[in-house]
Each structure stands twice: as structure tokens, then as C-alpha cells.
């Protein structure tokens, strides 16, 4: 069986990448070890503002908003950061457990021509000059032009490709579990001299910014372990020991539904691509879940990579376009590692860290620091280095209301087909991109709204703007067409 692209791993990153490639008309398939999309255990718990924008760009954000809870959940360490004054239609986060996020993404991908080889795992692969031969756990083999490892922090694709994974070992370890308790524990998050612990339930509501848990049902538990170097699977005995150390009692815990462990180990792949093998999501970067950036970073990896890989597969762009994937996304994840390590450090409970945390809280109460950090934590401050120029260059395109010949349209509505777009805000017909008309849509439009960027503020209105399929700005016109042809050639291939 042959495919243009095979994705190892059908979690959020793999599903998003498959959807992006399918929208671009690429033959893509997923290998997924699970027989269905169900998840046992607790993983990511929400979507950031920028990820919601990305889903809006594909016309599917309402599916997630219908099931999640909108709230000001952006935060840094121990403080929440309000982004309700940010210039975006999604000036909030969405509380929604990963099992629901995956189910909704899988439903979207199920509407596209994407075969999923379930109940099978990649066991080995060999790449050559023309593609990759992939061996599966059931003895079958696949042939692909490109292989993308979206197979998690223990990525076999990364290991077999020989890509190094440097970083920092764990300094803290936490056990997560769902179980029954004979005594009702104090629900919520608690910090003691031994570290963080928390109790909650699967069902909850967010009221006035506070989490209100259901009054019945199994208890979700998180407790810090004394030893950060454990490598075996945690047991009920380990959980009881941690609870007694932190709370003086284990609350009669019994009847485990599931149990797992996470640490603050922070590592990043030295290269996101080796030949015809690429990495995305946790396969490319792992870190503490504090701050909730892991799933969001992976989904945004996929949206950055998808259109570029599609253009290379379809021979629109040279293979060198794939080098921009590492160049753009590696620095983003490096900053994520930095911010998560800083947040873990601020959660320590000694007197010196308490003093440092007080200083950080004072700073984040000020407008400029709050806006800067909140823009970063929400993903709205991502800036790809595309050279000097207008502040919009390399940043997310605002979802402005446009007046077009077809009536009023939002920018993100025009991006739902995952095609690049040149928006001409000057004299209609003044821009001619006929040589690229088969791949870039030209929209003559007017725009009366203010141009404002999160964390930066107001910027001057352009006369034209070239937008990539991932929603980032590739070129800005300021009264001239200088550099437009070069940008079109660079990002969307030579004229056909």
C-alpha cells in the first residue's frame, strides 16, 4: 500500500496534520495503535486562544466551543492572566478534556479521505531517495513519500531516525489517578512543603472563573512524589504513600480506574526533519504540562507543516521549503520549554521561591508585563522571523471583517479551504497574480476596522497582505508591490 504521506500516531497533532494534508489534496494515511479514539487517563485539558483561531480558520471551531467551557484560563505559574481585552474573536481559553478534543478532531478527519490503520503500530522503517518503507506490527508494510512521527515523547520514529533529543532530566514527578475514596478530600489545588496536590472530579463547571466540581463520582487525584527518578509504572501503593506524605491520610483510596505519572523532564529534538522523516508534537518536544501548552504547540506544529509538505509532495515547491518548518517551529517550542521550566521553578515551596513568586505576581499585575506574557502563553504572540518590515510580517493575520464583492466576509472564513490568499485593500484590480492564480486566491476588499496585534497594540494599515494557509503573514504591501513576486516565489513556488 502506498501513500504520499504516512503519519505515525493519531493523537491531536497527527489528526490535525492529516486534516491539513487532506484539505490540500494529498494522499495521507495515519497509523494508530489504538483500535478507537478513546483515551484512558487524564491528559491535556484545554485549547489556547491561538489554537481556537487555527480551528476557526478551518471552519470547525464551533464544534469545540459547543462542548467546552469558555473561561480566562490563560496563566503563568500560580496566576491567571485575563486576555479579555486582546484583539481577537477568541480572547479566552477553552476548558475541554483531551478525550473530547481528539473525538471532535477525529470526526472532522473522518469527513475527509484519510484512511486510519487502527490497532497497528510502526515497528521499523527504511528511507531512501524516493520514499520510506514502513513495517507494521501486523506484518504488513506501507510505502510513503514522507513519514511524519506524531508518536509522542517516546517516539520510535525519532529514535529510529537517529535524531538526538537533548534537554533536562526530571526534577519533579507527579502521580495522576482516578479512583474511589472512602472519605471526601478537599477538592481543588493545594500547595504544601512537599509540593502540589489536587483533587477533582471528571464533571465540573466554571462559574465566575472558578472550577465547581460535581458532588458525586470518582475522584481525580494528583500528588507530588518524593522521588523524581522513578521509571516503573506507578501503583496504588505509590499513590497512597504520596497522599499520606502530603495530606496525612490516603482518604481510603481504592478501586483505581487508571493511574499514570508525569514529570517536568524537558527535551527537544535537535532537528525536526531528517531526509524524508519529520517530527511534530510531543515527538519533537516534551515538557511539564504546567501552562497547558503541549497539545496546543503540537496542533500548531501540524498547521505549520501541513501546507508546506503538501506543496512539496505536489511538486509546487522545492524540498527546501520543508527546512522552514524546523526554522520556524523549533524556536517556538524552545520558548515553551523555557516558560514551562520557569513555571515549575515558581511552584516550589521554599521561602526563597515564595519571595520570588510574590515579585512575579506583582509584575504580572502591571499591564505591559501581563500583556506580553499572556500573549506568549495564549500563542497569540508567535512571530516567525521573515526579515525586517511591517510588524504584521511573520505574525498571525487578525480575523478582520472585510467588505468584498461577495459581501461581508471574515478573513478566517476565506482561509477555510487552506489556500494562500492575497488580500488587496487598495484599488480593485491593481494587483495581478495571474501566474499564481491556480494556487493563490486574490481577494479585492475594503477594511474599516483597526489593525491591532496582541501584546503590540495598534499597527499601520497595509494596502495589501499575503497570507499563508496557516494564517501567518508572508508579505505586507505598504503602497507598493515591492517584494511581492519574491514572496510568492519563495512561499508558493515558481509560476506554473
Amino acid at each position: 500500500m502506498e501513500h504520499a504521506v504516512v503519519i505515525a500516531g493519531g493523537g491531536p497533532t497527527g489528526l490535525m496534520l492529516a486534516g491539513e494534508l487532506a484539505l490540500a489534496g494529498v494522499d495521507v494515511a495515519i497509523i494508530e495503535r489504538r483500535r478507537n479514539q478513546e483515551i484512558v487517563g487524564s491528559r491535556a485539558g484545554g485549547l489556547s486562544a491561538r489554537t481556537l483561531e487555527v480551528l476557526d480558520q478551518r471552519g470547525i471551531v464551533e464544534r469545540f466551543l459547543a462542548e467546552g467551557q469558555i473561561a480566562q484560563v490563560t496563566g503563568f505559574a500560580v496566576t491567571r492572566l485575563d486576555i479579555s481585552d486582546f484583539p481577537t474573536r477568541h480572547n479566552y481559553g477553552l476548558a475541554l478534556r483531551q478525550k473530547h478534543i481528539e473525538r471532535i478532531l477525529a470526526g472532522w478527519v473522518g469527513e475527509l479521505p484519510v484512511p486510519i490503520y487502527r490497532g497497528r503500530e510502526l515497528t521499523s522503517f527504511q528511507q531512501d531517495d524516493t520514499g520510506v518503507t514502513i513495517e507494521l506490527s501486523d506484518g504488513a508494510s506501507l510505502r510513503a513519500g514522507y513519514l511524519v512521527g506524531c508518536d509522542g515523547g517516546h517516539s520510535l520514529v525519532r529514535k529510529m531516525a537517529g535524531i538526538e533529543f537533548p534537554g533536562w532530566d526530571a526534577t519533579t514527578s507527579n502521580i495522576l489517578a482516578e479512583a474511589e475514596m472512602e472519605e471526601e478530600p478537599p477538592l481543588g489545588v493545594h500547595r504544601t512543603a512537599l509540593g502540589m496536590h489536587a483533587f477533582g472530579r471528571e464533571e465540573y463547571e466554571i462559574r465566575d472563573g472558578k472550577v465547581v466540581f460535581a458532588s458525586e463520582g470518582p475522584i481525580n487525584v494528583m500528588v507530588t512524589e518524593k522521588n523524581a527518578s522513578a521509571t516503573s509504572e506507578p501503583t496504588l501503593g505509590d499513590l497512597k504513600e504520596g497522599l499520606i506524605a502530603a495530606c496525612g491520610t490516603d482518604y481510603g483510596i481504592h478501586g483505581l480506574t487508571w493511574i499514570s505519572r508525569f514529570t517536568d523532564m524537558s527535551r527537544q529534538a535537535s532537528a525536526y526533519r531528517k531526509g524524508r522523516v519529520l517530527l511534530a508534537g510531543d515527538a519533537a518536544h516534551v515538557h511539564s504540562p504546567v501552562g497547558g501548552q503541549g497539545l496546543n504547540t503540537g496542533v500548531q506544529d501540524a498547521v505549520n507543516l501541513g501546507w508546506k509538505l503538501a506543496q512539496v509532495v505536489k511538486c509546487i515547491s522545492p524540498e527546501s521549503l520543508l527546512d522552514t518548518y524546523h526554522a520556524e517551529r523549533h524556536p517556538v517550542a524552545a520558548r515553551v520549554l523555557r516558560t514551562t521550566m520557569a513555571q515549575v521553578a515558581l511552584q516550589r515551596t521554599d521561602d526563597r521561591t515564595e519571595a520570588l513568586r510574590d515579585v512575579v505576581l506583582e509584575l504580572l499585575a502591571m499591564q505591559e508585563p501581563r500583556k506580553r506574557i499572556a500573549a506568549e502563553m495564549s500563542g497569540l504572540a508567535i512571530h516567525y522571523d521573515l526579515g525586517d518590515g511591517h510588524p504584521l510580517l511573520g505574525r498571525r493575520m487578525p480575523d478582520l471583517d472585510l467588505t468584498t464583492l461577495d459581501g461581508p466576509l471574515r478573513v478566517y472564513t476565506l482561509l477555510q479551504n487552506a489556500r494562500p490568499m492575497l488580500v488587496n485593500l487598495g484599488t480593485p484590480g491593481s494587483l495581478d497574480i495571474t501566474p499564481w492564480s491556480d494556487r493563490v486566491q486574490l481577494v479585492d476588499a475594503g477594511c474599516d476596522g483597526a489593525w491591532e496585534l496582541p501584546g503590540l497594540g495598534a499597527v499601520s494599515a497595509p494596502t495589501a497582505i499575503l497570507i499563508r494557509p496557516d494564517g501567518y503573514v508572508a508579505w505586507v504591501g505598504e503602497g507598493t508591490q515591492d517584494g511581492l513576486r519574491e514572496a510568492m516565489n519563495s512561499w508558493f513556488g515558481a509560476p506554473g
Side-chain angles (χ1 to χ4, degrees):
M1 292 175 284
E2 294 189 8
H3 300 280
V5 179
V6 167
I7 299 168
T13 302
L15 289 168
M16 193 73 209
L17 178 58
E20 291 291 291
L21 288 165
L23 285 176
V26 170
D27 173 19
V28 57
I30 298 174
I31 305 166
E32 171 53 46
R33 61 180 175 79
R34 292 173 291 171
R35 295 191 178 277
N36 54 50
Q37 208 62 43
E38 292 180 7
I39 298 175
V40 177
S42 178
R43 301 189 184 183
L47 299 172
S48 69
R50 179 55 192 156
T51 302
L52 291 170
E53 286 189 337
V54 164
L55 297 170
D56 199 349
Q57 290 171 189
R58 296 300 176 257
I60 57 174
V61 71
E62 294 298 333
R63 306 185 190 194
F64 298 86
L65 295 176
E67 296 199 30
Q69 297 187 63
I70 290 172
Q72 293 299 327
V73 296
T74 303
F76 186 84
V78 293
T79 186
R80 290 281 166 242
L81 299 172
D82 191 335
I83 63 170
S84 59
D85 60 343
F86 276 21
T88 167
R89 295 180 195 273
H90 303 287
N91 53 0
Y92 46 76
L94 188 73
L96 185 64
R97 298 193 188 279
Q98 181 170 336
K99 64 180 181 181
H100 301 304
I101 295 170
E102 286 200 20
R103 172 175 49 79
I104 297 168
L105 277 175
W108 172 57
V109 172
E111 299 165 10
L112 301 169
V114 180
I116 302 180
Y117 299 104
R118 291 197 176 275
R120 284 170 270 191
E121 295 183 65
L122 177 150
T123 56
S124 66
F125 66 84
Q126 294 286 336
Q127 64 168 312
D128 53 49
D129 291 342
T130 60
V132 186
T133 301
I134 302 158
E135 302 299 330
L136 303 182
S137 54
D138 64 352
S141 64
L142 298 174
R143 180 72 176 171
Y146 291 88
L147 169 65
V148 186
C150 299
D151 51 342
H154 299 289
S155 172
L156 181 62
V157 172
R158 183 189 67 239
K159 293 172 182 175
M160 291 197 65
I163 297 174
E164 294 182 354
F165 203 43
W168 297 266
D169 292 333
T171 64
T172 64
S173 179
N174 295 77
I175 293 178
L176 283 173
E178 182 180 86
E180 301 288 342
M181 285 184 167
E182 294 176 5
E183 303 173 44
E184 178 87 354
L187 301 182
V189 180
H190 312 278
R191 192 170 72 247
T192 70
L194 294 176
M196 304 282 287
H197 64 276
F199 304 100
R201 285 194 170 91
E202 180 73 15
E203 301 299 325
Y204 64 91
E205 291 183 16
I206 298 177
R207 302 176 191 164
D208 298 324
K210 295 183 179 180
V211 177
V212 180
F213 291 102
S215 58
E216 297 180 347
I219 300 293
N220 290 329
V221 184
M222 183 196 78
V223 66
T224 301
E225 297 183 272
K226 289 183 177 180
N227 182 5
S229 60
T231 56
S232 60
E233 288 297 312
T235 65
L236 180 59
D238 295 329
L239 180 55
K240 287 183 175 182
E241 182 181 332
L243 285 171
I244 291 170
C247 309
T249 176
D250 63 13
Y251 298 100
I253 193 166
H254 65 281
L256 278 177
T257 305
W258 54 262
I259 189 168
S260 63
R261 172 182 281 125
F262 73 85
T263 74
D264 68 333
M265 179 179 70
S266 299
R267 296 187 179 279
Q268 185 177 20
S270 58
Y272 281 18
R273 175 190 171 215
K274 190 168 184 179
R276 291 177 172 269
V277 178
L278 299 109
L279 303 175
D282 289 353
H285 40 77
V286 296
H287 50 81
S288 167
V290 63
Q293 292 184 280
L295 181 151
N296 292 281
T297 304
V299 167
Q300 292 170 46
D301 285 346
V303 176
N304 183 285
L305 174 60
W307 67 275
K308 297 174 181 176
L309 186 53
Q311 288 187 180
V312 172
V313 165
K314 295 164 77 173
C315 299
I316 293 171
S317 295
E319 203 170 85
S320 58
L321 181 64
L322 296 178
D323 295 334
T324 68
Y325 169 58
H326 173 96
E328 293 180 352
R329 294 304 298 173
H330 193 277
V332 170
R335 287 189 67 85
V336 169
L337 263 64
R338 189 185 77 163
T339 57
T340 54
M341 288 192 291
Q343 290 175 87
V344 169
L346 285 169
Q347 287 184 339
R348 292 176 184 145
T349 53
D350 60 274
D351 291 342
R352 289 174 175 80
T353 304
E354 291 279 1
L356 175 61
R357 188 162 47 246
D358 287 343
V359 172
V360 171
L361 288 173
E362 287 180 13
L363 288 171
L364 292 178
M366 303 175 187
Q367 287 302 309
E368 288 309 310
R370 188 264 304 180
K371 288 181 178 180
R372 179 181 290 270
I373 297 299
E376 180 164 352
M377 297 302 297
S378 62
L380 296 171
I382 291 172
H383 179 209
Y384 300 137
D385 184 6
L386 304 188
D388 297 330
H390 193 282
L392 280 164
L393 188 63
R395 289 187 166 91
R396 54 174 276 288
M397 174 66 186
D399 185 22
L400 300 176
D401 291 307
L402 302 178
T403 303
T404 74
L405 294 175
D406 296 322
L409 287 171
R410 292 194 293 128
V411 170
Y412 288 3
T413 300
L414 291 165
L415 286 172
Q416 289 180 9
N417 59 9
R419 288 182 62 201
M421 175 171 62
L422 177 62
V423 180
N424 176 28
L425 299 166
T427 304
S430 59
L431 294 178
D432 181 13
I433 58 166
T434 301
W436 290 274
S437 59
D438 60 332
R439 68 193 76 152
V440 179
Q441 51 189 334
L442 173 60
V443 179
D444 289 313
C447 179
D448 297 326
W451 291 75
E452 188 177 357
L453 295 174
L456 286 184
V459 299
S460 60
T463 57
I465 195 156
L466 182 63
I467 309 168
R468 308 187 322 190
D470 58 359
Y472 287 84
V473 175
W475 173 83
V476 181
E478 298 181 83
T480 74
Q481 298 185 37
D482 293 349
L484 176 58
R485 291 186 64 87
E486 291 82 353
M488 298 282 277
N489 271 313
S490 174
W491 292 110
F492 310 123

